Amino acid sequence: MYEDLVGKVVVVTGGSKGIGTAIAERLGKEKMKVIINYRSDDDGADEAVQLVEKAGGQAIAVQSDISTEEGVATLIKTAIEHYQRLDVWINNAGMENQHPTHQLSLEDWQQVLDVNLTGVFIGSKAALAYFVEQNIPGVILNISSVHEQIPWPTFAHYTASKFGVKGFTQAIAMEYANKNIRVNSIGPGAIETPINADKFEDAQKRAETEVMIPMQRIGDPEEVAAAAAWLISKEASYVTGVTLFVDGGMTLYPAFQDGKG
């Protein structure tokens, strides 16, 4: 669909499952060369590579910890060694867990912040350094959440990380706009992914979620991937520093639907 993406090289962190795999597969359809990062899911990473190749792209899976500079450096090195360049960096890796805040351990807080926010910083820093050094009009895309706007009680650390991603995205988008480097985010809402599988298989919990969505349905990972493909393409060449919510209207205060309130 986006001819300018053909042959470009993209890193997708957390690409072995869910939204990450859907993005990788979609970019395979755009005939891109995809570095699929993963932490521990070997089978998922192999399957993602196969999906990209079947879709028409090229792919390689790389195991590394994106919350460390060494792990990110491995991804940059792989992109250059295998595909000779880097054009797009997608910070997708993320995690969550639930705790009442007064019972939230420092360890759990730090682990979520390390992946969801520090990982975004380290990956973006490395990509920016490469883009500036090579004078490439690169693109960074962060996969954030509706919870960069909607507070989420008992997920305070996750909420803090996503509010942080929002501010970080806007700050570096402004900082590097004059170098033709674009930085945006996608804020998914409730999406059918492995992390949500148990919850959405419960009919009551699924209904409780759907009532918070004006479109009254759970989204598909492919819908997030479609937004990602557009945002990294030249079709979005004048778009930087924004979060595109892919959420069925969840961020529109659905309690007020039908004129209530």
Side-chain angles (χ1 to χ4, degrees):
M1 183 179 297
Y2 303 112
E3 293 183 359
D4 63 286
L5 295 181
V6 175
K8 286 190 173 180
V9 181
V10 55
V11 168
V12 181
T13 70
S16 64
K17 59 175 65 70
I19 289 173
T21 295
I23 290 173
E25 182 179 12
R26 173 56 191 266
L27 300 186
K29 293 179 181 179
E30 303 293 343
K31 296 181 172 53
M32 296 185 72
K33 299 171 182 178
V34 188
I35 309 294
I36 297 170
N37 159 254
Y38 71 103
R39 183 178 61 179
S40 59
D41 186 2
D42 295 317
D43 291 340
D46 290 342
E47 182 178 351
V49 167
Q50 293 172 22
L51 288 170
V52 171
E53 293 177 343
K54 184 177 179 180
Q58 300 179 45
I60 183 171
V62 180
Q63 183 178 30
S64 69
D65 182 354
I66 56 83
S67 69
T68 69
E69 291 184 320
E70 294 79 12
V72 167
T74 296
L75 296 177
I76 296 279
K77 181 180 179 182
T78 301
I80 295 170
E81 287 183 349
H82 284 263
Y83 300 127
Q84 290 72 59
R85 62 181 288 129
L86 175 67
D87 300 284
V88 181
W89 186 280
I90 299 181
N91 289 303
N92 168 75
M95 66 172 297
E96 65 183 55
N97 49 52
Q98 185 173 19
H99 300 280
T101 304
H102 70 285
Q103 296 175 349
L104 176 61
S105 70
L106 180 58
E107 181 181 3
D108 282 323
W109 167 275
Q110 195 64 59
Q111 185 180 31
V112 169
L113 269 289
D114 282 348
V115 175
N116 293 6
L117 184 56
T118 302
V120 169
F121 160 65
I122 296 172
S124 299
K125 176 185 175 182
L128 288 167
Y130 176 81
F131 295 153
V132 170
E133 180 181 332
Q134 300 296 322
N135 195 28
I136 291 174
V139 178
I140 294 173
L141 179 62
N142 300 320
I143 306 303
S144 183
S145 167
V146 292
H147 297 296
E148 71 166 47
Q149 180 167 315
I150 303 172
W152 199 12
T154 69
F155 290 86
H157 49 338
Y158 181 85
T159 304
S161 72
K162 295 304 183 179
F163 269 67
V165 168
K166 176 183 178 179
F168 180 70
T169 297
Q170 292 178 343
I172 65 173
M174 183 181 293
E175 185 174 352
Y176 291 92
N178 62 359
K179 299 185 185 302
N180 292 316
I181 297 171
R182 297 190 300 112
V183 187
N184 292 295
S185 290
I186 291 177
I191 307 294
E192 296 272 12
T193 60
I195 199 171
N196 292 322
D198 290 343
K199 178 170 66 175
F200 293 155
E201 285 175 3
D202 184 307
Q204 181 179 347
K205 290 181 179 179
R206 188 182 188 94
E208 289 173 351
T209 301
E210 289 175 340
V211 78
M212 296 188 288
I213 305 168
M215 292 184 73
Q216 299 182 351
R217 69 174 178 87
I218 307 301
D220 294 321
E222 292 74 18
E223 293 174 300
V224 179
W230 177 74
L231 273 173
I232 68 171
S233 77
K234 283 188 177 179
E235 293 291 321
S237 60
Y238 204 49
V239 180
T240 196
V242 306
T243 298
L244 174 58
F245 289 107
V246 182
D247 66 350
M250 183 180 278
T251 49
L252 298 177
Y253 301 96
F256 287 88
Q257 199 165 19
D258 302 320
K260 298 175 183 178

